[in-house]
Amino acid sequence: MDWLERTAKLRQWSRSGARAPHKPLLLYALGRFQQDATGELRYSAVEEDLQRLLTEYGPPNRTTPANPFHHLVSDGVWEVRTDRGLGSPGSSLRELRGVGAAGRLAPELRTALRQEPSLLGRMARVLLELRFPPSLHGDLCEAVGLELEPTATGQLSTLRRRRDPRMRELVLTAYEYQCAFCGYDGRIGAVPVGLEAAHVRWWAFDGPDDVDNGLCLCSLHHKLFDKGVLDIGDEHHILVSQRFVGHSPAARGRVIALADRPLIGPQPGAHPVATIHRSWHTSQVFHGSPRPATAA
């Protein structure tokens, strides 16, 4: 069984590219297996950890850890046992807690990981690259306790679309080498530093490498955009999530004060962010409702 290919084909909801909540749980399970290959994850013991993962890295629509804990079984990589034996009791919180539900990787996968230790890291990289933007990979690994060794990318290239290497230059040029949110335009000599081409609709969810799906953002605002703190409204004004809290002058000045400001760019003749990509980001990434504009 080719576990890399199986991982690449894990069920992704197809309703307008909606994000499924299963993948953070599988990354968490791989991290725990790396630490203890014989252990299992008792639902009542890991529920809080999983809820934090879903809140931070899952889709913005509220869900409980019970859903992925139960539904990941159907992907063939996970099993659940209860006091009554093998089999998940369903996605009810009360049931999972009451019958001592515990999950772990499927037996065939555990065997494969023991026989080929490098498989765990390659599976984790497939999950990260095909389900999350690069700006979140390091944070996710730290959150689930995964330690990944550097690996050759050639093994994964057949499992993913190829990125267009021209996108960064095209997007930065369209926005005249400045952050579309704050205007930052730092350079070392002639080389931009701290500026990145961000996908609005994530590349992992079929976002194209086109200028109308890109923004030139500084490193800070790229991370906040991918974490759902920032978004783009219908009039190409900046949206700031009400769930973001910051009391320092830096947080208020660099994030909260952005609420309802117009985007900077793109320059005349360049394509602005397409409505279809803005809508995807709002429904699948942005957290909560936007803040009103702050008083000057």
Side-chain angles (χ1 to χ4, degrees):
M1 182 180 296
D2 189 330
W3 287 102
L4 287 185
E5 191 169 331
R6 170 76 70 88
T7 303
K9 294 179 178 177
L10 282 178
R11 189 158 49 99
Q12 177 173 308
W13 292 354
S14 58
R15 295 178 306 186
S16 302
R19 298 168 59 204
H22 305 49
K23 311 312 178 293
L25 169 58
L26 184 51
L27 284 168
Y28 183 82
L30 290 173
R32 293 292 290 267
F33 184 89
Q34 190 177 55
Q35 299 164 27
D36 178 8
T38 63
E40 61 181 13
L41 306 180
R42 196 169 184 87
Y43 181 79
S44 59
V46 301
E47 183 177 0
E48 287 188 14
D49 282 353
L50 295 179
Q51 186 62 67
R52 281 194 294 268
L53 271 179
L54 286 176
T55 298
E56 192 164 359
Y57 298 103
N61 51 300
R62 296 298 181 98
T63 187
T64 71
N67 285 315
F69 201 92
H70 165 69
H71 289 294
L72 192 61
V73 172
S74 61
D75 284 321
V77 296
W78 180 252
E79 69 174 12
V80 175
R81 291 180 179 273
T82 69
D83 297 338
R84 299 192 291 258
L86 183 64
S88 173
S91 58
S92 162
L93 285 171
R94 179 177 297 179
E95 279 290 306
L96 287 169
R97 293 168 180 160
V99 298
R104 60 179 179 174
L105 299 175
E108 298 88 350
L109 177 53
R110 298 200 305 272
T111 299
L113 291 171
R114 292 189 184 100
Q115 293 175 344
E116 189 180 354
S118 66
L119 176 61
L120 186 147
R122 287 182 285 135
M123 284 184 63
R125 289 187 185 280
V126 168
L127 281 170
L128 289 169
E129 294 193 22
L130 298 185
R131 297 293 180 260
F132 300 95
S135 66
L136 302 185
H137 291 182
D139 292 347
L140 253 172
C141 286
E142 184 175 347
V144 300
L146 267 172
E147 295 185 10
L148 300 184
E149 297 293 332
T151 185
T153 58
Q155 295 171 302
L156 306 180
S157 61
T158 59
L159 301 175
R160 62 185 184 188
R161 295 159 42 222
R162 291 190 178 275
R163 294 178 182 267
D164 187 342
R166 301 170 299 170
M167 182 186 176
R168 180 178 185 276
E169 183 65 25
L170 292 172
V171 170
L172 266 59
T173 298
Y175 286 85
E176 300 183 283
Y177 292 86
Q178 58 183 332
C179 175
F181 287 167
C182 70
Y184 169 82
D185 61 354
R187 298 172 180 260
I188 295 179
V191 180
V193 60
L195 286 173
E196 301 164 358
H199 283 76
V200 178
R201 182 187 180 111
W202 293 355
W203 182 89
F205 283 78
D206 299 321
D209 289 331
D210 297 332
V211 171
D212 70 358
N213 186 42
L215 284 173
C216 177
L217 297 177
C218 67
S219 300
L220 171 65
H221 291 132
H222 188 177
K223 175 65 70 69
L224 296 177
F225 187 64
D226 284 345
K227 291 292 286 285
V229 172
L230 300 174
D231 195 16
I232 311 168
D234 292 338
E235 302 300 323
H236 290 262
H237 281 216
I238 301 167
L239 305 182
V240 179
S241 173
Q242 288 184 340
R243 296 184 189 172
F244 176 82
V245 177
H247 301 292
S248 67
R252 299 193 68 82
R254 297 177 187 176
V255 183
I256 294 173
L258 296 177
D260 204 38
R261 286 187 187 175
L263 284 182
I264 301 171
Q267 63 176 288
H271 294 292
V273 176
T275 300
I276 190 172
H277 303 319
R278 288 193 290 107
S279 297
W280 182 90
H281 190 274
T282 298
S283 65
Q284 298 303 314
V285 181
F286 187 61
H287 284 282
S289 301
R291 287 173 170 266
T294 57

